[in-house]
Amino acid sequence: MTPRTAPALPATDPGPSAARQIDAKIAALDDWRGEVLARIRTIIHAADPQVVETVKWRGVPVWEHDGILCTGETYTSAVKMTFAKGASLPDPAGLFNASLDGNTRRAIDVHEGDTLNARALKALIRAAVALNASKMRAPAKKAAARPARKVARKV
C-alpha cells in the first residue's frame, strides 16, 4: 500500500490575498462601518501608495510600511484605527481620541456619523511612514556611534 498524501497546492495559489480578505471584510460590513473602513483604506493608500496590506489577529486589516503603521478594527459602535507608534507622532489636528494613556499606541475611534478629516489623516499616515523609516535606519547609526565594549575575563 502506498501512503496517501494531500495534493500539493500550486505555487501560484497562496490563498486569499490580504487585499481580497479586506475587500471581503468591508463587503461583510454592510452598514456604516464598511463605508468608514473603505474610506480609511482609500485615505491610507492616497497618503502612501507603497503601503502593504496584511491581515492579522483573526482578520484585522493592518497597513504596513517598514513596520506596522495602523490597524483597522471594527466594533459595534466604532471603527478603530490604532497607530502602532502613535504616541510618537505629531497630531496637530487632534485626531487621536482613544488609547491616549499608553506609552506607544494611539487610536482614532470613528463613530457613525463622524466625518473623517482626510487631510489630517494623510499627514498622520505620512508621519507614521517617516517614523518607521527612521527606525529602520537608526540601528546602523547607533552601532557605529557606540564604542566597542571591553570585556574583562577571569583567567
Side-chain angles (χ1 to χ4, degrees):
M1 243 186 188
T2 58
R4 293 185 131 191
T5 58
L9 291 174
T12 57
D13 184 17
S17 72
R20 280 188 275 184
Q21 290 178 57
I22 295 170
D23 288 342
K25 182 172 190 80
I26 290 169
L29 294 165
D30 60 351
D31 58 9
W32 65 272
R33 296 172 303 156
E35 293 170 14
V36 168
L37 189 58
R39 178 80 175 121
I40 287 170
R41 184 187 199 190
T42 299
I43 292 168
I44 291 169
H45 280 277
D48 180 17
Q50 295 159 1
V51 71
V52 175
E53 293 185 324
T54 59
V55 175
K56 299 182 182 191
W57 310 297
R58 296 184 190 191
V60 174
V62 179
W63 290 276
E64 301 185 43
H65 188 144
D66 291 334
I68 294 176
L69 299 172
C70 63
T71 63
E73 301 150 277
T74 54
Y75 299 96
T76 304
S77 64
V79 175
K80 180 184 285 289
M81 284 185 77
T82 302
F83 284 75
K85 297 177 182 127
S88 299
L89 299 176
D91 181 23
L95 295 179
F96 291 130
N97 61 6
S99 304
L100 301 175
D101 296 336
N103 293 329
T104 306
R105 291 180 206 80
R106 293 285 183 272
I108 302 168
D109 282 356
V110 182
H111 299 95
E112 186 173 10
D114 287 354
T115 302
L116 285 171
N117 181 340
R119 186 179 197 183
L121 188 52
K122 283 180 188 177
L124 203 55
I125 295 293
R126 289 179 182 134
V129 170
L131 180 62
N132 281 0
S134 73
K135 298 284 184 185
M136 294 296 290
R137 292 187 300 266
K141 290 179 185 177
K142 286 181 181 177
R146 193 178 325 154
R149 212 171 106 182
K150 294 181 181 178
V151 178
R153 290 187 180 175
K154 289 186 177 179
V155 183

